[in-house]
Every structure is written in structure tokens, then in C-alpha cells.
Amino acid sequence: MPRLASFLVDDSGSIDVEVAFAKDEQNLRVLSGKMHGTVSMTCQRCLEPVSVEINATLNLAVALTEQQAENLPRYYDPLIMEADEIELLPVIEDELMLSLPLVPYHDDCSIQTSFGDVETARTQEEKPNPFSVLAQLKEKADKS
């Protein structure tokens, strides 16, 4: 699943997929299932790997045309089949990508707020102001 892997830090983790094919009471061909597992993504707060739990469900009805897809009951997502056969892996990969969080993050990560050396910042604060000489000259001119 190369498209799914592009969202992940590495290929560690696993996802269990359970899929069932059936016909419902309206005689529609349906694909239903559950997917769960854990993958590793980049935390958007600290940029370290974070484990993300995936729980997704499939509830697709097969449609042969766009018009048939529009007429499906709302509780089904359409699976438009333009050919007699369809590869199942890209369908599962699409559903997994949709279940990933947009912004993965640790619940308890510490955010780095300073990026410089603390001692360097203090040294810069202790340096004399180069314009203090001008202030002294202005004070002398105002007194005169």
C-alpha cells in the first residue's frame, strides 16, 4: 500500500481487515467490513513518531454508473465498478487513508518553545546598549 505508506513514519505496525460480501434486502451487492490496527505517524507538535490507532468500517454498495450511485440509500457509500472486476486492495487502502487523523499528535508531548542556547540569550541581554552614548550626549545638549 504505497499511498498509505506515504503518510507513515515507517512500515512498522499492522492492520487487521475483515471483509464480507453479500446482497442486502434491496438486492444490492454490498461490501462491508472492519479494519483496526496501529501505525506510526509523525507528531505535528514535537515531530517525533507517534502510534496512531486505526478503527475504520466499510459499508459500500456496488454501482455500475454514476446515476446508480446517486440512487443508492444514504447509509451506503458507492463503489463504482467500471469493469467486471475490481481490485480490493486499493479500496481498502482508500478507506484506511480516510481514517487517518489529519493532525496526529501525542496527548502528552512536550513542545519545545526555545530553540537557542539560554546562556547566549542572557549574554545578549547583558550587553550594553550601543546607543547609550547618544542618550548621554542628548542629556548634555538638553541641559545646555
Side-chain angles (χ1 to χ4, degrees):
M1 296 188 202
R3 293 181 298 139
L4 177 64
S6 69
F7 291 99
L8 307 178
V9 172
D10 54 29
D11 60 355
S12 66
S14 65
I15 299 173
D16 296 322
V17 179
E18 181 180 315
V19 180
F21 302 90
K23 284 190 175 183
D24 70 356
E25 59 277 351
Q26 296 176 359
N27 208 24
L28 295 171
R29 293 177 289 172
V30 295
L31 170 66
S32 59
K34 297 177 184 176
M35 300 173 280
H36 62 277
T38 305
V39 295
S40 185
M41 296 180 74
T42 302
C43 174
Q44 296 302 304
R45 289 180 179 166
C46 65
L47 302 178
E48 295 294 323
V50 59
S51 291
V52 175
E53 189 171 328
I54 294 178
N55 289 309
T57 58
L58 288 172
N59 199 21
L60 306 173
V62 176
L64 300 176
T65 64
E66 290 284 335
Q67 185 179 9
Q68 282 182 351
E70 291 174 7
N71 295 328
L72 289 173
R74 294 211 178 266
Y75 49 86
Y76 288 125
D77 290 327
L79 175 61
I80 299 174
M81 292 186 58
E82 296 172 350
D84 290 339
E85 295 180 1
I86 191 165
E87 284 193 47
L88 188 57
L89 191 59
V91 173
I92 292 172
E93 185 178 25
D94 288 342
E95 293 296 323
L96 288 171
M97 287 188 309
L98 288 172
S99 68
L100 292 175
L102 292 175
V103 182
Y105 58 90
H106 293 103
D107 289 332
D108 60 347
C109 70
S110 61
I111 302 171
Q112 183 178 2
T113 56
S114 66
F115 293 98
D117 188 11
V118 175
E119 291 180 22
T120 305
R122 287 185 185 150
T123 305
Q124 289 176 350
E125 290 174 8
E126 295 171 2
K127 287 183 180 178
N129 185 350
F131 297 104
S132 62
V133 174
L134 294 176
Q136 292 172 358
L137 290 174
K138 184 178 177 187
E139 286 176 16
K140 289 181 183 178
D142 288 342
K143 291 181 184 177
S144 303

